[in-house]
Amino acid sequence: MSKRTAKDAHLPVGECVTQVQDILRQRLCHQRLPDKPEGVEAQHRHLLELLKRTAIHGESNSVLIVGPRGAGKTMLLKCVLRDLLEDKEAQKSLLQVHLNGLLQTDDRIALKEITRQLHLENVVGDKVFGSFAENLGFLLEALKKGDRSSSRPVLFILDEFDLFAHHKNQTLLYNLFDVSQSAQAPIAVVGITCRLDVLELLEKRVKSRFSHRQIHLLSSLTFTQYLERVRTQLSLPDGFPDSRFAQDWNDGVKTLCGDKSVEEVLQRHYNSSKDVRSLHMLLMLCLSRVSVAKPAIKPADLLEASRLCFADAKANMLHGLSILELCLIIAMKHLNDVYEGEPFNHQMVHNEFKKFLQRKSNSMYNFEQPVILKAFEHLQQLELIRPVDGSSAKTQREYQLMRLMLDHSQIMEALQKYPQCPTDVKQWAMSAFG
Amino acid sequence: MYINVTTVINAGQHILIEGEDEDNPYVAKVIRLFGDESGKQKKAVVQWFVRVSEVPLSKLKLLGREPHPQEIFLYQGRSCDDEVNAESILRPVQVKGGSYWSFWTPLCLHSHSFFFFLFQQIPPGTPRTPRHATPSIPSRSLPARRPGNVLEEARARLHVSSVPESLPCREQEFQDVYSFVESKIVDGTGGCMYISGVPGTGKTATVHEVMRCLQHAADVDEIPPFHFIEINGMKMTDPHQAYVQILQNLTGQKATADHAAALLEKRFSSAAPRKETTVLLVDELDLLWTRKQNVMYNLFDWPTRRHARLVVLTIANTMDLPERIMINRVASRLGLTRMSFQPYSFKQLQQIIMSRLNKVKAFEEDALQLVSRKVAALSGDARRCLDICRRATEICEHSPADPFSTGLVGMSHVMEALNEMFSSAYITAIRCASLQEQLFLRAVIAEFRRLGLEEATFQQVFVQHRALCRVEGLQPVSVSEGLAACQRLGACRLLLLEPSRLGVLQRVRLNVSQDDVLFALKDD
């Protein structure tokens, strides 16, 4: 295909591929806003109406956006803000304050940030003056002086809202909600959180002042919609400079989505999680395999990317262990089988291992005690085993009780794939009793 | 070797004057030098300049260009004194003007006019502390739009912030508080009162209304004049800030907490002629609790002094707060004048909404009754009731026009609003979860049934999860995948998890009842 395309194209293939990478990476990694949010029209309308009333009518409101991670909460809010600010009147009057629970870890920092973003008069340059108490007094006084019709409405956006509920006394939340429920400067408080039980975190008086509006973003995406989304996410837009290339690319994506094996892989991803972000991750891995030599996504790319996504981390770690360490793991597995998950110590593992050596009468793995202890400690450093209680100083290392942090299926799977695993070790692992 | 340097200053020279710190001297031009009455103290009248960093950001924007860091502006504000002591003068400096921009070009900068110079000897430093900042939110260019139709009008009236002149259904409480405070003001004595009640029962609003009425009475000389001060425990960063706020409201003085406490102590314990009664409202009293309880002790002790003439009204949520958290000598000073606000009954809630709407016909009778009955059954919180009504008007406005509807807010709209605000999202969340997450929840329940406990480790649940996958004919899940599903459920709090460092050993519990999970999973 590349030969014909290259002849008719307005741009060379290299240029086109660069453009494709550019556009799709913007979409997949930088969370570019879509023109129209999909599947959340009702929520979009509700939030837009609410914020519009704050911006234009000066009505105070509070609302929480709740949904699992990667469900598009921030995207929804950004879309709403973009649509809201198209209105000239709203754009001129609305003040925005963005806070994040991960950055503003206590009320002191949050208050400085609010004052700074509002450009109140105790701010010079980027510095906020005065103590915590003065800042709070100043902000509350400023908000109290405002009134519904004449002062500019303020939009407070609290990302990771549940973390704000852990601040001392929830002072900030109380004050914001209190302002939104009293005749002061008009404000809208929008909280974003992934916790469904967020209202239970609020104190009684804070909860009473919150308006109990919650916008739930729970995606009920069917598999057909999921496939459609994969297609739209990978398709090139109409404005692509080389229309022939774009046409070919979009056709390629369409046949890709129709492919049976691809559909199977996507079905598996859909079953495991419906969130858009993990889908983006998968598509990004596919996209990174597109080059000038291979200017299209093939089903094999998707299979490879999916293999990467589903790889088991712990099983991969087991591949990198030495034979001795693997033997210790197998000994631990047997101990777990025999004693039904009771914790073990180094001595017990060593004994189990010695039993194996005696039976096999093979001196190949006849290591000294310190070597085995070293291997044991290495396993602990990799956190494949973990002390039962944190007090490491009290007991001797050999007698400290440990637990294995692996599932048996992981051990067996890793053994199958282990490069040049000795047969007797494999047999020992298979045997039910050590 | 020590060299004594004497600086000679003449009128007309530019000088540096000691600033807040050593690195940031102020800049000025000497207008006149003189000695004060005794002749010992040398003084100078100066013309102040401000550096770029000292100019408020809002004014700087009006300049319309990026100023040079060493540029200075003529300062014509009247908020600082033009006289300085000669000792505070550091040294003369040279001011050059006009080398980069046109000299003496007047720039109209809002209220003050600034001229600019180029100033070469002061390194740019940190800005001067704004001392006279006024707290305010910028005002909008156009006034906010008025409500356009009946529903919008109703919505504006139903907003919690539009408190009516007189509160319905709280006449008895109003009377009690009124007579208590009035008698204290008339007698010139002091006293305490404790008001309790669950949130949203009109405690603060009632007290405010009492104060408005008393203020009116004082204005027409029915009772002696009095001060009214209000503090709120939640609006303070620390219980001791209460002293600071009381002092500031009383006298406008700013002081540290300890100093303010001492000043207030003096004020309330000493006799003064023509002293006015002070009424102090302390909202959210439980937040003023400290280990030694000295803030509460002082607040309740001052009214007992002979000359204090202080009436303290305290508000909190729990009825037994004095018994629960106060030590005996504090509780005994609070006294026995108590009042508790009962949650609103459905009739009262209905009356409240009716009085708010005040003849604006926007609701059907039945719809109102439904709202008030539902809220009264749950909490009796008036805020909740008003919020639901407001949401119902929104739903009504955006519902498709029905030819048979009256255009009023009906039962269906109210039902929808109630569902939105009261229903929990757990069941929908489970229904919208991915297949593996649902399987994991099933596995959790299966494991709980097997163990007979309400807790299991991930490892145990995972065995069930794999078995379920086999039954459903899906590819077996890896441990990482299973853990990821578990973490996702934990993040939205359908499950309660131990820290994820424990890996497969972490224990799993359900945050919803098993019946809910089964109900949610049954449908599909």
Side-chain angles (χ1 to χ4, degrees):
Chain A
M1 126 192 172
S2 62
K3 220 174 200 175
R4 240 196 71 207
T5 324
K7 205 163 52 180
D8 300 343
H10 310 109
L11 292 170
V13 181
E15 191 73 13
C16 287
V17 169
T18 318
Q19 286 276 344
V20 168
Q21 293 274 6
D22 244 24
I23 292 172
L24 293 190
R25 268 164 208 257
Q26 275 286 335
R27 209 182 272 167
L28 299 177
C29 304
H30 293 259
Q31 317 286 347
R32 237 175 70 106
L33 294 184
D35 297 328
K36 203 96 192 110
E38 289 162 42
V40 287
E41 285 81 11
Q43 287 96 330
H44 182 268
R45 204 179 50 232
H46 183 179
L47 193 59
L48 184 61
E49 283 296 325
L50 194 79
L51 294 186
K52 207 175 248 174
R53 277 205 305 279
T54 301
I56 294 169
H57 294 276
E59 182 183 292
S60 291
N61 275 310
S62 50
V63 66
L64 274 178
I65 306 177
V66 186
R69 292 216 180 273
K73 302 180 289 292
T74 311
M75 191 270 297
L76 172 71
L77 183 64
K78 280 186 179 160
C79 280
V80 167
L81 278 181
R82 184 190 59 191
D83 296 350
L84 179 70
L85 293 184
E86 276 170 14
D87 188 337
K88 274 280 174 308
E89 194 181 336
Q91 191 188 7
K92 255 195 282 177
S93 57
L94 194 68
L95 294 168
Q96 293 182 33
V97 177
H98 293 259
L99 300 176
N100 190 320
L102 292 167
L103 297 175
Q104 280 77 42
T105 47
D106 64 19
D107 284 347
R108 188 182 303 258
I109 306 172
L111 264 174
K112 291 228 171 197
E113 189 60 25
I114 293 173
T115 318
R116 200 182 65 72
Q117 292 189 21
L118 282 179
H119 289 303
L120 293 186
E121 280 192 32
N122 57 347
V123 181
V124 174
D126 264 350
K127 270 181 104 166
V128 181
F129 284 89
S131 66
F132 180 30
E134 279 169 1
N135 285 337
L136 180 66
F138 196 84
L139 179 69
L140 291 179
E141 193 60 32
L143 290 169
K144 205 171 170 183
K145 270 195 188 163
D147 74 62
R148 182 177 165 161
S149 61
S150 69
S151 49
R152 287 175 73 175
V154 188
L155 172 62
F156 287 92
I157 295 165
L158 308 181
D159 211 343
E160 308 289 347
F161 181 83
D162 47 310
L163 297 180
F164 284 96
H166 292 124
H167 292 181
K168 187 176 165 256
N169 289 345
Q170 306 186 343
T171 312
L172 182 74
L173 293 185
Y174 176 90
N175 285 312
L176 287 184
F177 287 146
D178 194 53
V179 171
S180 83
Q181 299 244 314
S182 52
Q184 303 181 3
I187 68 168
V189 183
V190 180
I192 303 179
T193 180
C194 64
R195 286 183 65 158
L196 292 171
D197 63 344
V198 63
L199 283 189
E200 288 160 36
L201 296 175
L202 297 182
E203 250 193 87
K204 232 176 9 185
R205 48 192 152 216
V206 182
K207 198 172 165 183
S208 165
R209 282 168 174 79
F210 172 58
S211 73
H212 283 242
R213 279 164 200 267
Q214 292 191 49
I215 296 179
H216 291 287
L217 280 184
L218 299 163
S219 74
S220 48
L221 205 65
T222 61
F223 183 60
T224 351
Q225 287 166 330
Y226 191 78
L227 266 182
E228 181 59 25
R229 181 160 290 187
V230 172
R231 205 182 60 70
T232 49
Q233 285 294 329
L234 283 180
S235 300
L236 291 177
D238 292 334
F240 195 73
D242 186 342
S243 56
R244 171 64 62 84
F245 184 89
Q247 187 62 41
D248 283 351
W249 174 275
N250 288 348
D251 289 347
V253 168
K254 211 168 195 176
T255 44
L256 180 80
C257 289
D259 191 287
K260 264 281 162 276
S261 61
V262 168
E263 210 162 288
E264 225 163 76
V265 167
L266 289 176
Q267 176 80 53
R268 187 159 177 224
H269 272 270
Y270 173 75
N271 281 348
S272 111
S273 134
K274 286 187 199 170
D275 77 51
V276 186
R277 209 171 282 162
S278 66
L279 175 66
H280 280 180
M281 183 71 197
L282 180 78
L283 297 182
M284 187 60 211
L285 285 173
C286 297
L287 179 68
S288 60
R289 299 165 76 88
V290 171
S291 63
V292 180
K294 195 172 73 64
I297 297 179
K298 293 278 174 339
D301 296 335
L302 205 75
L303 298 189
E304 180 61 24
S306 150
R307 206 184 52 75
L308 276 178
C309 281
F310 280 122
D312 190 276
K314 283 283 172 64
N316 280 348
M317 268 166 87
L318 288 177
H319 294 172
L321 295 182
S322 69
I323 294 284
L324 172 61
E325 284 156 351
L326 201 62
C327 286
L328 291 183
I329 295 261
I330 293 169
M332 290 171 200
K333 170 183 171 281
H334 285 315
L335 282 175
N336 261 350
D337 283 342
V338 174
Y339 300 112
E340 288 171 341
E342 286 299 306
F344 48 79
N345 61 24
H346 168 252
Q347 208 58 48
M348 292 160 76
V349 175
H350 194 179
N351 286 342
E352 193 72 24
F353 183 48
K354 267 199 284 195
K355 263 198 265 172
F356 163 64
L357 292 184
Q358 276 162 11
R359 210 173 39 161
K360 293 292 160 203
S361 67
N362 189 342
S363 60
M364 223 177 112
Y365 314 119
N366 221 346
F367 296 105
E368 300 285 319
Q369 157 96 6
V371 178
I372 294 177
L373 188 59
K374 199 79 195 163
F376 195 74
E377 277 173 4
H378 186 225
L379 290 180
Q380 190 182 342
Q381 276 169 1
L382 292 176
E383 294 210 4
L384 293 175
I385 55 177
R386 174 183 184 88
V388 171
D389 49 350
S391 58
S392 53
K394 275 183 218 151
T395 45
Q396 255 178 300
R397 276 180 302 181
E398 289 94 323
Y399 305 110
Q400 203 178 7
L401 289 177
M402 296 284 187
R403 271 184 207 280
L404 184 61
M405 291 189 48
L406 291 169
D407 196 61
H408 290 183
S409 59
Q410 283 173 306
I411 301 173
M412 299 316 286
E413 195 185 313
L415 269 176
Q416 296 302 328
K417 289 184 190 156
Y418 194 86
Q420 287 146 22
C421 182
T423 324
D424 46 355
V425 172
K426 232 182 216 173
Q427 277 171 353
W428 177 43
M430 299 290 188
S431 64
F433 301 102
Chain B
M1 201 167 68
Y2 180 67
I3 302 172
N4 189 9
V5 182
T6 324
T7 319
V8 182
I9 306 273
N10 297 317
Q13 264 185 321
H14 292 87
I15 49 168
L16 291 184
I17 295 172
E18 276 177 13
E20 300 277 287
D21 54 85
E22 286 183 14
D23 296 336
N24 297 307
Y26 299 140
V27 191
K29 184 181 181 183
V30 182
I31 306 290
R32 188 163 61 90
L33 288 160
F34 67 101
D36 67 353
E37 300 89 87
S38 59
K40 282 190 187 142
Q41 181 82 2
K42 287 240 170 66
K43 293 209 172 216
V45 175
V46 294
Q47 163 64 58
W48 291 105
F49 293 95
V50 289
R51 275 168 287 143
V52 174
S53 50
E54 288 172 293
V55 179
L57 205 62
S58 51
K59 303 255 167 65
L60 211 54
K61 277 185 205 140
L62 297 172
L63 190 59
R65 61 175 168 84
E66 196 58 41
H68 190 274
Q70 290 188 341
E71 202 171 326
I72 55 171
F73 300 93
L74 197 62
Y75 181 72
Q76 292 190 331
R78 285 276 72 88
S79 61
C80 52
D81 201 4
D82 286 347
E83 283 181 23
V84 294
N85 287 335
E87 282 85 52
S88 63
I89 297 174
L90 296 175
R91 59 172 186 276
V93 287
Q94 205 181 359
V95 172
K96 288 186 183 172
S99 49
Y100 290 124
W101 299 288
S102 60
F103 189 51
W104 286 115
T105 308
L107 290 163
C108 240
L109 295 186
H110 204 57
S111 56
H112 313 304
S113 28
F114 292 93
F115 300 102
F116 66 78
F117 282 88
L118 190 70
F119 177 70
Q120 291 199 320
Q121 292 202 348
I122 299 174
T126 50
R128 200 188 299 179
T129 315
R131 275 203 213 90
H132 305 290
T134 46
S136 66
I137 294 284
S139 53
R140 56 196 294 165
S141 49
L142 293 168
R145 234 179 260 170
R146 308 298 316 162
N149 56 27
V150 178
L151 284 175
E152 279 178 15
E153 175 74 30
R155 196 151 54 224
R157 284 165 177 275
L158 285 172
H159 197 279
V160 183
S161 66
S162 54
V163 183
E165 282 292 302
S166 83
L167 289 176
C169 316
R170 286 292 178 225
E171 291 82 12
Q172 185 55 48
E173 283 84 355
F174 173 85
Q175 203 51 52
D176 290 353
V177 178
Y178 188 93
S179 51
F180 175 82
V181 179
E182 189 191 26
S183 66
K184 299 288 181 203
I185 292 175
V186 170
D187 299 350
T189 55
C192 295
M193 184 178 209
Y194 177 71
I195 301 170
S196 65
V198 293
T201 47
K203 302 179 294 294
T204 312
T206 306
V207 173
H208 277 152
E209 196 193 336
V210 168
M211 284 303 136
R212 257 201 320 274
C213 288
L214 283 171
Q215 203 74 59
H216 181 73
D219 288 344
V220 296
D221 277 340
E222 279 173 16
I223 57 168
F226 64 96
H227 275 305
F228 173 57
I229 302 172
E230 185 185 0
I231 58 172
N232 186 326
M234 273 300 237
K235 296 189 178 173
M236 282 179 255
T237 53
D238 177 88
H240 294 98
Q241 286 293 321
Y243 299 131
V244 179
Q245 294 200 359
I246 296 172
L247 186 73
Q248 192 166 16
N249 284 333
L250 267 180
T251 62
Q253 237 174 321
K254 266 189 187 172
T256 61
D258 289 339
H259 189 208
L263 287 176
L264 286 173
E265 179 74 38
K266 207 171 113 197
R267 183 187 167 98
F268 288 125
S269 50
S270 64
R274 292 159 45 85
K275 198 170 184 179
E276 285 181 358
T277 302
T278 310
V279 181
L280 174 64
L281 170 63
V282 185
D283 215 340
E284 313 290 359
L285 177 72
D286 47 332
L287 266 299
L288 294 184
W289 188 88
T290 53
R291 184 182 287 278
K292 283 181 167 174
Q293 309 198 359
N294 46 0
V295 179
M296 282 192 198
Y297 178 84
N298 277 333
L299 283 181
F300 303 145
D301 191 40
W302 288 333
T304 61
R305 310 277 169 79
R306 230 182 73 199
H307 305 292
R309 310 189 77 172
L310 178 67
V311 183
V312 179
L313 304 172
T314 56
I315 300 182
N317 291 141
T318 40
M319 210 150 94
D320 58 344
L321 189 81
E323 285 76 28
R324 229 161 18 95
I325 69 167
M326 294 183 199
I327 48 180
N328 283 337
R329 61 166 186 276
V330 178
S332 97
R333 276 175 176 75
L334 174 57
L336 295 170
T337 320
R338 307 228 180 136
M339 170 181 288
S340 89
F341 280 58
Q342 296 305 319
Y344 290 113
S345 69
F346 91 89
K347 280 214 173 103
Q348 289 172 323
L349 286 174
Q350 207 170 347
Q351 202 181 330
I352 289 172
I353 306 175
M354 295 294 277
S355 78
R356 287 250 177 164
L357 284 174
N358 190 22
K359 301 208 182 76
V360 173
K361 184 74 183 143
F363 276 81
E364 283 171 17
E365 287 286 326
D366 297 346
L368 276 190
Q369 188 159 355
L370 180 68
V371 175
S372 35
R373 276 189 191 270
K374 277 270 186 192
V375 174
L378 270 161
S379 61
D381 187 338
R383 292 196 188 106
R384 185 76 341 99
C385 202
L386 295 170
D387 281 331
I388 291 169
C389 290
R390 208 150 58 86
R391 178 69 190 133
T393 59
E394 283 167 27
I395 292 172
C396 176
E397 195 167 327
H398 293 113
S399 62
D402 184 359
F404 301 107
S405 77
T406 47
L408 300 182
V409 180
M411 285 290 255
S412 59
H413 306 126
V414 167
M415 277 308 283
E416 201 178 329
L418 280 169
N419 279 337
E420 233 174 63
M421 288 189 162
F422 282 130
S423 67
S424 97
Y426 287 119
I427 290 176
T428 342
I430 294 173
R431 283 200 183 135
C432 290
S434 71
L435 188 59
Q436 293 292 354
E437 288 160 9
Q438 290 180 347
L439 279 185
F440 193 84
L441 283 175
R442 265 182 219 277
V444 169
I445 288 184
E447 187 61 22
F448 284 178
R449 291 238 169 107
R450 191 181 72 84
L451 292 171
L453 296 172
E454 293 283 280
E455 187 178 88
T457 65
F458 172 79
Q459 211 163 7
Q460 292 168 322
V461 176
F462 186 66
V463 174
Q464 300 278 358
H465 189 180
R466 289 204 124 182
L468 276 174
C469 275
R470 260 197 304 276
V471 171
E472 298 280 329
L474 297 168
Q475 276 179 310
V477 285
S478 67
V479 178
S480 292
E481 216 182 320
L483 261 179
C486 176
Q487 294 297 345
R488 276 198 298 273
L489 290 172
C492 56
R493 284 299 189 283
L494 285 170
L495 294 178
L496 296 175
L497 301 176
E498 281 187 302
S500 59
R501 265 199 87 182
L502 292 170
V504 294
L505 299 180
Q506 63 187 315
R507 277 178 299 224
V508 177
R509 283 193 322 193
L510 277 178
N511 196 24
V512 266
S513 73
Q514 293 195 12
D515 294 337
D516 281 358
V517 178
L518 290 176
F519 173 73
L521 293 175
K522 199 171 58 187
D523 279 8
D524 43 68

